[in-house]
């Protein structure tokens, strides 16, 4: 501590007389860059390289493990950051080595995958996105940062902002679904939640926009697979959430594993230097994904690891996660002139700048406060936020004959392998979340509400496997109930990284269990716990109600009970389309019309773009979700022609026509009828989530401008074109256009 402050006093003195400033970040002179430069000027080549090295501490396994002698590396300044390490005790031990045992005493960053909570776990991001509640998503990220920073973490590898349209891909669970506009707003909200408005505060942490870029478009939904697309599609669909994260001030980016148009993202100068650091003037730093630098050899893009390091540094990668390549080879590469020291300096400057922003040079131990650790972790306020987030994330997919909400005087049977689950319920990427009893199962949620013995229970079967020996007991239990609630779904490990599936049915013998229980004639409510859209056509035709609960997190059991008993009227809306069949994937609402659209008007026309025996439409569309009440819409526009200087005012009078208060996500979709790039059949352009009391009407007003109608033309210019448009405002994307307007030149 004394070493660094003396050193820093010296460099601060240097700054005051130095007129040297690095112009970046839109030309704004940045004192942090000057501070970073002042430290940089004191560093040896070895010390510079040390700052570009990130190693796992091995406390959590999030990828293939490599050399783990990280403590040795710490002592000689060969490591600038550690991940998968937390608790104040452990991180203080590591920080002390870096600050007190090395020549310059430069503090460490501590990174971790705090994706949807740290100890208090919130619904998986795909679930949370279904709340369409940006304030809520910012708040849960804020809580996550508060808890993580209380345990010594100052950098999260989140938000994951990959647009995903293929439910075979397990990592669809980690993002915000299929829509670029909504995904961009959510990216910004999550960054603000993690980073707050003062990175030097001890409860804010660096965020990381990942995985840059287009990882969600992996061919055939197979993780790590090839991605190939036009630059127009890249800029239209996949880059905007990253730009939104950057506009929200995200401190770091993580490059993706995949190759993009033949160039691995880890060595992709176009993505990293041309767009991110050039066009977007990003002033944070780029970290690779886990050994993705080494993997350029397997990609066939680098002959060996040393060359992979040179490609990466020249392309704009600032930090090597777990690859050990920068540590082993960068000094030689600089000596050979294959990497310029100026590029290395820029990488180190970016990393040091973030350490200054975090306040680590003022106090390297600021995130290591044992008192905070006790106060912040899993406190009541955080648990209440988790319960609220879980409720608001759930999507009611079916509710025939108003079988829901349940009434307390009904005899309920809870049946299924996920009724008592406290392990899978917190989902994948659950960081330091506890899987051994902290989470509230559905069983416990019902116990709190109905008391011990207040309901019947049978497991029926496991999530996977072919054992049906529990069926008889389950059927008998169902027979004694008025209504059956079945909690079924996937193993949490069936989604997340390296978890692609070729069929997306409810696995194992759960479907057979549902059938056996349904054959008792009792009303059956399905509660789904899963991390991806599933194929549910048979279930949709068989059971009476379906509630999509996703992986609802630490308070999931209470939240399920709250929704099933109507304490909370479900308001979630899907942010991903649910297909009828896996063969429809990738599937998304804002698709192109093609030259032979299926709804060409002639139902007998054979030669149209369709499948034999399966409709093109999803089982449940983007933006869809039911409520225990209902809503009607009266929509009007204030003009039929608008100029680029105008705005079109779209007014929706939304009435709660039911007998129960509720929330509605009012969505505005627009269709550009003719454009110089084939336009999608519709695009979400605006939305607002509103609470409306039973019988009341709320007026929702959207202002549509020419800016909202822009797209990338053939020259990749973002433009609007005069012409005919149509729109509708509704509670989901599967509606007909009701209003037309024209954008005229003037
Ligand atoms: C993993 C994931 C990435 C994560 C990183 C560190 O492989 O791809 O999302 O942040 O490694 O755990």
């Amino acid at each position: 501590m004394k070493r660094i402050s003396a050193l820093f006093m010296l460099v601060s003195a240097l700054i005051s007389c130095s007129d040297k400033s690095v112009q970046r970040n839109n030309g704004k002179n940045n004192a942090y860059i000057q501070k970073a430069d002042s430290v940089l000027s004191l560093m040896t080549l070895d010390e510079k390289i040390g700052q570009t090295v990130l190693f796992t501490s091995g406390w959590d396994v999030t990828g293939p493990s490599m050399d783990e002698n990280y403590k040795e590396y710490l002592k000689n300044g060969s490591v600038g950051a550690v991940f998968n390490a937390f608790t104040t005790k452990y991180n203080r031990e590591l920080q002390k080595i870096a600050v007190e045992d090395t020549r310059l005493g430069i503090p460490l960053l501590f990174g971790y995958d705090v994706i949807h909570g740290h100890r208090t776990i919130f619904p998986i991001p795909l679930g949370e996105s279904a709340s369409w509640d940006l304030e809520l998503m910012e708040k849960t990220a804020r809580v996550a940062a508060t808890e993580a920073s209380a345990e010594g973490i100052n950098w999260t590898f989140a938000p994951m902002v990959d647009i995903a349209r293929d439910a075979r891909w397990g990592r669809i669970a980690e993002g915000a679904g299929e829509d670029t506009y909504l995904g961009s707003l959510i990216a910004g909200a999550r960054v603000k939640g993690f980073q707050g408005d003062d990175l030097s505060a001890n409860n804010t942490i660096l965020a990381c926009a990942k995985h840059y870029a287009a990882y969600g478009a992996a061919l055939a939904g197979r993780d790590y697979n090839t991605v190939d697309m036009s630059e127009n599609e890249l800029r239209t669909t996949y880059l905007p959430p990253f730009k939104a994260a950057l506009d929200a001030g995200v401190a770091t980016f993580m490059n993706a594993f995949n190759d993009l148009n033949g160039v691995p993202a880890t060595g992709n100068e176009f993505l990293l230097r041309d767009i991110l650091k050039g066009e977007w003037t990003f002033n944070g730093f780029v970290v690779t994904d886990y050994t993705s630098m080494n993997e350029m050899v397997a990609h066939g893009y680098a002959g060996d690891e040393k060359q992979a390091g040179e490609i990466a540094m020249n392309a704009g990668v600032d930090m090597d996660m777990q690859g050990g390549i920068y540590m082993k080879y960068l000094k030689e590469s600089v000596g050979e002139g294959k990497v310029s020291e100026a590029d290395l300096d820029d990488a180190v400057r970016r990393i040091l700048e973030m350490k200054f922003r975090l306040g680590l040079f003022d106090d390297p131990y600021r995130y290591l406060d044992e008192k905070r650790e006790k106060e912040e972790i899993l406190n009541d306020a955080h648990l209440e936020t988790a319960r609220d987030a879980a409720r608001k994330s759930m999507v009611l997919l079916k509710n025939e004959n108003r079988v829901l909400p349940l009434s307390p005087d009904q005899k309920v049977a809870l049946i299924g392998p996920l009724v008592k689950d406290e392990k899978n319920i917190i989902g994948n990427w659950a960081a330091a979340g506890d899987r051994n009893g902290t989470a509230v199962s559905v069983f416990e949620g019902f116990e709190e509400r109905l008391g011990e013995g207040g309901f019947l229970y049978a497991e029926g079967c496991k999530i996977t496997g072919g054992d049906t020996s529990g069926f008889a007991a389950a059927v008998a239990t169902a027979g004694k109930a008025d209504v059956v609630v079945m909690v079924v779904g996937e193993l949490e490990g069936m989604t997340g990284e390296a978890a692609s599936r070729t069929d997306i049915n409810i696995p194992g013998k759960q479907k057979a269990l549902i059938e056996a229980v349904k054959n008792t004639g009792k009303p059956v409510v399905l509660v789904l716990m899963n991390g991806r859209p599933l194929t549910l056509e048979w279930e949709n035709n068989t059971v009476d109600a379906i509630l999509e609960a996703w992986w609802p997190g630490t308070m999931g059991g209470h939240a399920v009970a709250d929704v099933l008993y109507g304490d909370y009227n479900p308001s979630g809306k899907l942010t991903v389309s649910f297909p009828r069949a896996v063969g429809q994937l990738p599937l998304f609402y804002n698709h192109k019309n093609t030259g032979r659209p299926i709804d060409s008007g002639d139902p007998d026309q054979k030669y149209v773009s369709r499948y034999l025996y399966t409709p093109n439409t999803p089982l449940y569309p983007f933006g869809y979700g039911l409520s225990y009440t209902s809503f009607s819409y009266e929509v009007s526009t204030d003009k039929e022609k608008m100029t680029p200087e105008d705005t079109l005012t779209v007014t929706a009078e939304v009435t709660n026509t039911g007998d129960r208060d509720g929330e509605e996500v009012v969505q505005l979709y627009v269709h550009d009828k003719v454009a110089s790039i084939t336009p999608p059949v519709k695009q979400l352009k605006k939305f607002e989530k509103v609470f409306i009391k039973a019988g009341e009407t709320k007026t929702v007003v959207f202002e549509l401008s020419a800016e909202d109608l822009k797209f990338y033309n053939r020259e990749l210019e973002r433009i609007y074109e005069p012409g005919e448009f149509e729109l509708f405002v509704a509670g989901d994307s599967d509606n007909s256009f009701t209003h037309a307007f024209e954008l005229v030149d003037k």
Side-chain angles (χ1 to χ4, degrees):
M1 189 58 171
K2 54 184 182 313
R3 179 194 308 269
I4 187 73
S5 55
L7 170 74
F8 186 48
M9 299 294 280
L10 167 66
V11 296
S12 301
L14 283 174
I15 294 174
S16 55
C17 59
S18 147
D19 61 359
K20 183 171 182 288
S21 69
V22 175
Q23 292 305 319
R24 214 172 44 214
N25 200 11
N26 299 325
K28 275 205 308 288
N29 193 356
N30 178 331
Y32 289 107
I33 295 177
Q34 289 194 27
K35 289 175 180 177
D37 266 339
S38 57
V39 175
L40 188 65
S41 64
L42 303 167
M43 296 171 80
T44 65
L45 182 56
D46 287 321
E47 287 163 339
K48 292 178 184 177
I49 292 169
Q51 289 301 304
T52 69
V53 177
L54 166 65
F55 265 124
T56 179
S57 81
W59 264 36
D60 194 349
V61 178
T62 57
S65 60
M66 297 276 289
D67 179 349
E68 288 171 0
N69 301 321
Y70 61 92
K71 278 189 185 170
E72 283 317 302
Y73 303 145
L74 285 178
K75 276 195 173 44
N76 55 36
S78 301
V79 171
V82 174
F83 68 115
N84 294 335
F86 49 90
T87 71
T88 51
K89 180 175 180 302
Y90 184 62
N91 287 20
R92 180 179 290 277
E93 178 195 334
L94 303 184
Q95 191 69 293
K96 196 164 178 299
I97 297 170
V99 167
E100 300 190 7
D101 296 352
T102 63
R103 186 177 79 91
L104 292 176
I106 297 174
L108 294 169
L109 289 174
F110 288 100
Y112 195 34
D113 290 286
V114 183
I115 310 294
H116 54 108
H118 176 63
R119 297 277 184 180
T120 301
I121 304 300
F122 301 103
I124 54 168
L126 183 63
E128 232 187 36
S129 71
S131 71
W132 293 56
D133 186 334
L134 301 176
E135 276 178 35
L136 174 73
M137 288 182 260
E138 181 173 341
K139 183 179 179 184
T140 60
R142 185 87 295 281
V143 169
T146 301
E147 290 197 352
S149 59
E151 286 213 270
I153 293 159
N154 46 45
W155 179 24
T156 179
F157 305 132
M160 186 272 218
V161 301
D162 300 305
I163 294 299
R165 298 161 150 184
D166 193 322
R168 291 171 293 182
W169 191 51
R171 303 199 78 167
I172 196 169
E174 300 172 45
E178 71 191 43
D179 182 69
T180 301
Y181 168 73
L182 178 61
S184 300
L185 292 171
I186 292 174
R190 287 182 167 148
V191 166
K192 290 193 186 101
F194 287 125
Q195 297 193 169
D197 50 21
D198 174 7
L199 276 177
S200 69
N202 68 1
N203 63 356
T204 58
I205 59 179
L206 304 181
C208 180
K210 71 183 187 180
H211 306 80
Y212 187 63
Y215 181 31
L219 196 59
R222 197 173 78 234
D223 206 0
Y224 315 122
N225 205 359
T226 301
V227 174
D228 207 300
M229 65 178 68
S230 69
E231 187 177 340
N232 196 306
E233 175 62 1
L234 177 69
R235 287 181 179 274
T236 298
T237 303
Y238 294 92
L239 290 188
F242 287 98
K243 183 64 169 55
L246 185 141
D247 292 343
V250 75
T252 68
F253 266 57
M254 181 186 293
N255 66 250
F257 285 117
N258 54 281
D259 60 344
L260 173 63
N261 300 337
V263 179
T266 313
N268 198 308
E269 190 162 352
F270 170 68
L271 282 177
L272 297 169
R273 287 208 188 281
D274 297 351
I275 295 183
L276 180 59
K277 295 182 175 180
E279 194 179 314
W280 294 355
T281 63
F282 175 60
N283 62 9
F285 68 84
V286 175
V287 64
T288 69
D289 203 335
Y290 200 113
T291 67
S292 68
M293 195 180 294
N294 315 56
E295 292 163 20
M296 285 201 277
V297 177
H299 272 290
Y301 195 72
D304 56 35
E305 291 192 341
K306 177 173 176 293
Q307 188 191 9
E310 288 152 5
I311 291 169
M313 179 54 74
N314 292 332
V317 171
D318 303 307
M319 187 183 279
D320 171 7
M321 178 191 281
Q322 194 59 19
I325 289 181
Y326 278 0
M327 182 170 77
K328 284 182 214 148
Y329 304 109
L330 211 46
K331 185 170 187 175
E332 194 183 338
S333 300
V334 170
E336 294 166 353
K338 291 180 179 164
V339 164
S340 76
E341 188 157 1
D343 282 348
L344 172 59
D345 286 352
D346 183 59
V348 176
R349 182 185 297 117
R350 290 166 181 268
I351 294 163
L352 292 175
E353 180 187 333
M354 288 308 157
K355 293 186 177 182
F356 271 109
R357 285 181 183 277
L358 283 170
L360 288 174
F361 278 96
D362 299 328
D363 172 8
Y365 302 101
R366 71 174 41 212
Y367 293 90
L368 300 166
D369 173 347
E370 287 79 356
K371 184 169 168 296
R372 271 198 70 220
E373 192 171 34
K374 292 184 183 61
E375 287 165 1
E376 297 288 13
I377 302 301
L378 287 161
N379 66 36
D380 291 345
H382 295 172
L383 293 172
E384 187 46 41
T385 301
R387 184 168 184 164
D388 186 43
R391 285 189 296 237
K392 290 178 176 170
S393 303
M394 293 179 191
V395 184
L396 182 61
L397 298 175
K398 182 181 182 183
N399 188 21
E400 207 144 276
N401 312 320
R402 293 174 66 103
V403 70
L404 291 176
L406 302 174
S407 68
D409 53 21
Q410 283 176 296
K411 191 69 173 170
V412 177
L414 291 183
I415 295 176
L418 283 157
V419 170
K420 287 195 169 183
D421 182 272
E422 297 171 348
K423 176 177 178 300
N424 294 284
I425 196 167
I426 59 175
N428 44 68
W429 289 113
D434 170 48
R435 295 186 188 274
N436 300 302
T438 302
V440 177
S441 67
V442 174
F443 189 92
E444 287 169 324
F446 271 66
E447 261 187 338
E448 181 196 63
R449 180 172 293 270
L450 302 175
E452 253 188 76
F455 53 93
L456 305 169
Y457 165 70
E459 182 182 39
C461 67
K462 299 299 181 191
I463 295 170
T464 54
D467 179 6
T468 58
S469 59
F471 278 29
V475 169
T477 301
K480 298 172 194 155
D482 301 323
V483 60
V484 181
V485 173
M486 298 188 75
V487 188
V488 295
E490 295 181 299
L491 288 167
E492 61 87 12
M494 286 179 162
T495 47
E497 186 172 353
S500 297
R501 292 179 64 192
T502 54
D503 91 67
I504 53 174
N505 298 315
I506 296 178
K509 285 294 180 186
Q510 298 177 88
K511 210 162 163 172
L513 178 66
I514 295 167
E515 186 167 27
V517 167
K518 186 58 194 153
N519 287 342
T520 64
K522 301 291 180 178
V524 171
V525 174
L526 275 198
V527 175
L528 297 177
M529 292 196 180
N530 47 295
R532 57 156 53 84
L534 299 173
T535 36
L536 299 167
E537 198 148 48
W538 176 84
E539 291 82 355
N540 186 59
N541 295 334
T542 303
V543 303
D544 304 271
I546 302 177
L547 179 69
E548 175 56 78
W550 313 104
W551 292 117
T554 303
M555 299 294 274
H558 288 321
V560 167
D562 292 344
V563 171
L564 293 183
Y565 280 94
D567 291 6
Y568 180 77
N569 183 357
S571 64
K573 300 280 186 176
L574 295 178
T575 58
V576 275
S577 309
F578 274 51
R580 299 171 189 275
V582 70
Q584 289 179 278
L585 297 173
L587 178 68
F588 46 98
Y589 82 94
N590 46 348
H591 57 81
K592 302 287 182 94
N593 203 31
T594 79
R596 294 194 172 186
I598 188 169
D599 48 5
S600 59
D602 172 0
D604 301 324
Q605 175 53 262
K606 167 182 166 61
Y607 300 101
V608 292
S609 180
R610 64 184 171 84
Y611 302 95
L612 296 178
Y613 321 124
T614 303
N616 287 2
T617 54
L619 177 64
Y620 306 120
F622 174 83
Y624 170 82
L626 300 174
S627 168
Y628 293 150
T629 186
S630 51
F631 299 95
S632 67
Y633 285 71
E634 284 294 320
V635 178
S636 61
T637 56
D638 70 335
K639 54 178 78 71
E640 290 181 359
K641 289 184 188 301
M642 70 181 273
T643 70
E645 291 66 44
D646 283 337
T647 59
L648 179 76
T649 302
V650 184
T651 305
E653 302 292 341
V654 185
T655 301
N656 180 337
T657 51
D659 55 7
R660 181 186 285 266
D661 299 349
E663 292 157 288
E664 170 73 329
V665 180
V666 180
Q667 303 157 49
L668 166 64
Y669 293 86
V670 175
H671 172 218
D672 185 346
K673 296 175 84 169
V674 178
S676 59
I677 291 287
T678 49
V681 295
K682 65 189 81 170
Q683 289 269 52
L684 176 72
K685 290 295 183 186
K686 306 278 181 191
F687 69 89
E688 186 177 334
K689 186 165 190 175
V690 292
F691 173 81
I692 309 177
K693 295 181 78 60
E696 294 193 358
T697 296
K698 193 154 269 186
T699 302
V700 177
V701 179
F702 297 122
E703 294 296 336
L704 208 53
S705 69
E707 190 61 34
D708 297 314
L709 306 176
K710 282 185 171 180
F711 63 94
Y712 284 101
N713 67 7
R714 257 166 290 174
E715 291 69 43
L716 295 176
E717 297 153 339
R718 189 128 182 91
I719 61 148
Y720 50 75
E721 291 174 342
E724 304 282 320
F725 295 79
E726 53 191 350
L727 65 86
F728 66 81
V729 181
D732 66 55
S733 62
D734 185 19
N735 280 272
S736 308
F737 292 102
T738 57
H739 291 74
F741 68 95
E742 186 183 358
L743 176 64
V744 294
D745 267 330
K746 46 183 175 299

